[in-house]
């Protein structure tokens, strides 16, 4: 079961009621933007995986909230991941700072970097992303690069 959306933690009472009613027997994943770390705790008993998706649009405070959310999931021994969705103007240093922050939170964090790619270059990995991946994996071993499927087939 996947609970997703940009602000999946925006209505915790509803999610708690639904999960308590359903009592799911299969794993539940909650994908969040990480902007409500204080809201995650009540849901953790129901969750198997909490990926935090960072889109680099909200400044340093948003990045700190995402890491705080990741830390709460890690401390609860819940599966956790950090998806970094780079934009064309996202500095490499900011991406690498988030990888380093994720490693500082937990060595078990799965980190996925989604590079910004022009629609006509989806079949090539340019030097920038190869270098970012090389630097990121020296900081945190469980780091990978994955292209996103562009709209209308893919999301966002």
């Amino acid at each position: 079961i996947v609970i997703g959306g940009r602000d999946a933690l925006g209505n915790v009472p509803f999610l708690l009621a639904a999960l308590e009613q359903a009592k799911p027997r299969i794993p539940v994943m909650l994908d969040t933007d990480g902007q409500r770390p204080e809201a995650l705790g009540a849901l953790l008993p129901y969750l198997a995986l909490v990926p935090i998706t960072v889109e680099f649009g909200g400044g340093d405070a948003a990045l700190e909230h995402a890491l705080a959310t990741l830390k709460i999931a890690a401390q609860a021994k819940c599966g956790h991941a950090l998806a970094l969705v780079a934009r064309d103007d996202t500095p490499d240093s900011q991406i690498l700072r988030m990888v380093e922050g994720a490693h500082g939170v937990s060595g078990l964090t799965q980190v996925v970097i989604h590079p910004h790619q022009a629609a006509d270059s989806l079949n090539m990995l340019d030097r920038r992303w190869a270098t970012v991946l090389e630097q990121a994996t020296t900081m945190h071993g469980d780091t990978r690069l994955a292209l996103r499927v562009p709209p209308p087939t893919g999301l966002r």
Side-chain angles (χ1 to χ4, degrees):
I1 298 172
V2 176
I3 302 168
R6 199 171 299 254
D7 189 14
L9 292 172
N11 194 341
V12 171
F14 169 79
L15 292 175
L16 280 172
L19 291 167
E20 288 170 2
Q21 178 75 24
K23 295 180 179 44
R25 294 182 184 167
I26 59 175
V28 177
M29 177 180 95
L30 181 126
D31 184 4
T32 177
D33 63 2
Q35 297 312 297
R36 298 178 191 260
E38 70 288 346
L40 183 60
L43 292 168
L44 283 168
Y46 298 98
L47 303 176
L49 177 63
V50 178
I52 292 94
T53 302
V54 175
E55 294 188 354
F56 295 101
D60 289 341
L63 300 179
E64 292 303 317
H65 281 91
L67 289 175
T69 304
L70 186 69
K71 184 175 184 177
I72 290 167
Q75 288 177 337
K77 307 233 184 292
C78 182
H80 52 284
L82 183 66
L84 303 173
V85 183
R87 301 177 337 174
D88 191 32
D89 62 346
T90 304
D92 296 353
S93 61
Q94 197 172 44
I95 296 167
L96 295 172
R97 215 171 26 249
M98 287 301 290
V99 172
E100 184 178 42
H103 183 73
V105 164
S106 168
L108 298 176
T109 304
Q110 300 172 40
V111 178
V112 179
I113 301 170
H114 296 291
H116 177 270
Q117 293 282 95
D120 59 351
S121 67
L122 287 177
N123 295 324
M124 292 189 335
L125 177 64
D126 67 25
R127 183 176 302 257
R128 173 191 179 192
W129 296 111
T131 302
V132 168
L133 180 62
E134 180 181 11
Q135 292 172 329
T137 56
T138 61
M139 286 188 245
H140 186 73
D142 192 357
T143 302
R144 61 204 76 157
L145 204 69
L147 296 177
R148 294 187 83 171
V149 178
T153 306
L155 299 175
R156 294 189 227 169

